Amino acid sequence: METRERGLKPNTAGAMKSVLEWKHDIPTRYFATYEALEDAFRERVAGLVPRYHAGTRVFWDDFQRVTNRSTTLAGSGGEAYITSNPRDCLAFGTPFQVLQGAWLSASRTDAVSLEDPQRVAERFGLSGHLHQSIRSLSGGETVKLALAKAHLQASWVSRLTVASPFSWLSLDHWPYFRGLADHYRSCGTPLELFALQGEDTSAPAACDDPPVADALSFSWRLKGLQLDLGSLLDHLHDRPVWAAVASVNETLASLCLLCGDNGQGKSLIAKALASAMLFRGEAAVYGTRGPRPVRLLFQDVINQTLMRSMRQLTARGVTKQVAAAYDDILAGVKGRVPEDRDRLPSFADRRRGNTPLTLLEMKILLVAVRLADQGVVLILDEPDWGLNRLEAEAFVTAVVRAAHARLVPVMLISHKPWWQNLVRSVRWIRKDAGKTSGAGGCLFTVTIHDAEGGEV
């Protein structure tokens, strides 16, 4: 495939570099693992966030401690925080309710120059989402809402701590974070970032050892596709909201990258392909022998596990196939990350243990379970979330190798420029709010473009 087909926007890496340069005046603490970052973050916020990555027993113990506390961090002089999964710090059903709650809390203090929720929503590009269910927001839209909430808290809290934001915000949305940092500085309120090592770097992954020598091809077909976005919760009557997707029927090479800014519809298309959401029309992937089932690894893999144990996740009668895929991926990770060679046991040894899986082990296991199915297509949605830069590269490379060895094509969803040297094909996903004619009253239309910017 031609080099230009594999390329990303020519100014992406340079722009990312310039954006990250001006964040260096913000104090940042770096951590090697998601678990270390979460432990430090919980200590910072006095244990207000239960550890739901450490299993059900730990979660409910933490939850009980929170509910039994006589005081919280709320009130004048309290802490503001944005969790590594921004949904975890948003307590209400819609963005308007979240911002209204923050505004009411601030109005009970001596806060000065307090902006109303509507104006803050406009500042953070959320005006069109105020009455949308939070569960239907994209990851980037969710973190923008968390930023907007923190903006309303700036004049009355003692400090803001933000955990691992780089996996959520696309390049074009980093000015929102810069604006929040400047706002906190003008209020004289400290702000600190907790990040994983290398999470904020922009250089593409090295391609000295490409994951595959020969690409697998597959076709995808989207025809008359309309996606169910849920309901607008402030309406008296439950009115469903739909988004249309422009039709496409083409052959792509694996590894295929689906990229685009926050809120453009990348994950929506992936969920439709995997039948993980309601939709009308056709969303299908085809191999040489016909339709192929699509299996999806969510960005939020912790919620995807539903707190199930390793035994529960593999109790499907295909343990041998899962073990083989798990150990193949594990070997690839260990080959690139020396510090993981001693701390990550094999599938058999891990299954005999009783300690909770680390986030990296969760990702490896969920992929292995999906690769145990025959004839599937695998989609990885923002797979770097919760991993340091070195582990993210090692994980993606190892997964692609293990998948291709089983003749499983892979699609990768990401807004980062890390993967441009590893992919064989690229498609840009864009939301066109004005392109709704003939879309059956849909709120917007998602269009698909090639690496040159032309609609396919």
Side-chain angles (χ1 to χ4, degrees), residues 6 83 126 155 159 161 274 359 417 431:
R6 298 176 55 191
T83 46
L126 294 167
S155 59
R159 175 175 54 191
T161 305
L359 185 69
K431 181 172 72 175

Side-chain angles (χ1 to χ4, degrees), residues 42 178 236 371 377 390:
R42 288 190 72 255
R178 178 75 262 176
L236 178 62
L371 293 183
V377 173
L390 184 59

Side-chain angles (χ1 to χ4, degrees), residues 87-104:
R87 282 185 172 85
D88 293 342
C89 63
L90 304 173
F92 300 106
T94 68
F96 179 79
Q97 293 168 349
V98 169
L99 298 182
Q100 184 77 357
W103 181 80
L104 289 172

Side-chain angles (χ1 to χ4, degrees), residues 116-130:
D116 66 82
Q118 295 276 359
R119 185 171 180 179
V120 173
E122 183 178 352
R123 178 189 293 272
F124 285 88
L126 294 167
S127 296
H129 303 283
L130 278 175

Side-chain angles (χ1 to χ4, degrees), residues 16-192:
M16 186 79 170
K17 184 174 184 293
S18 66
V19 170
L20 293 173
E21 281 175 349
W22 53 244
K23 80 99 188 145
H24 287 160
D25 62 336
I26 302 171
T28 304
R29 293 174 60 185
Y30 291 96
F31 300 86
T33 66
Y34 172 84
E35 290 73 25
L37 185 151
E38 287 294 292
D39 286 344
F41 187 84
R42 288 190 72 255
E43 183 178 353
R44 167 62 59 86
V45 301
L48 274 180
V49 183
R51 289 166 290 179
Y52 66 103
H53 65 279
T56 52
R57 181 172 181 176
V58 171
F59 173 85
W60 288 114
D61 286 347
D62 288 348
F63 186 81
Q64 187 173 27
R65 292 189 188 98
V66 172
T67 56
N68 288 340
R69 289 173 57 172
S70 59
T71 60
T72 68
L73 295 180
S76 179
E79 298 263 0
Y81 58 88
I82 298 176
T83 46
S84 56
N85 184 338
R87 282 185 172 85
D88 293 342
C89 63
L90 304 173
F92 300 106
T94 68
F96 179 79
Q97 293 168 349
V98 169
L99 298 182
Q100 184 77 357
W103 181 80
L104 289 172
S105 296
S107 65
R108 290 195 293 267
T109 69
D110 297 327
V112 296
S113 303
L114 189 63
E115 295 180 77
D116 66 82
Q118 295 276 359
R119 185 171 180 179
V120 173
E122 183 178 352
R123 178 189 293 272
F124 285 88
L126 294 167
S127 296
H129 303 283
L130 278 175
H131 302 291
Q132 186 176 333
S133 169
I134 285 179
R135 67 179 180 271
S136 68
L137 298 178
S138 71
E141 290 164 346
T142 305
V143 77
K144 285 197 298 179
L145 176 57
L147 297 176
K149 174 188 173 184
H151 180 95
L152 286 165
Q153 297 173 307
S155 59
W156 61 277
V157 296
S158 62
R159 175 175 54 191
L160 170 64
T161 305
V162 182
S164 201
F166 305 107
S167 292
W168 297 96
L169 280 176
S170 64
L171 171 62
D172 286 355
H173 288 164
W174 264 99
Y176 292 121
F177 185 85
R178 178 75 262 176
L180 179 69
D182 291 342
H183 179 57
Y184 267 74
R185 183 175 290 107
S186 69
C187 293
T189 306
L191 178 152
E192 187 175 12

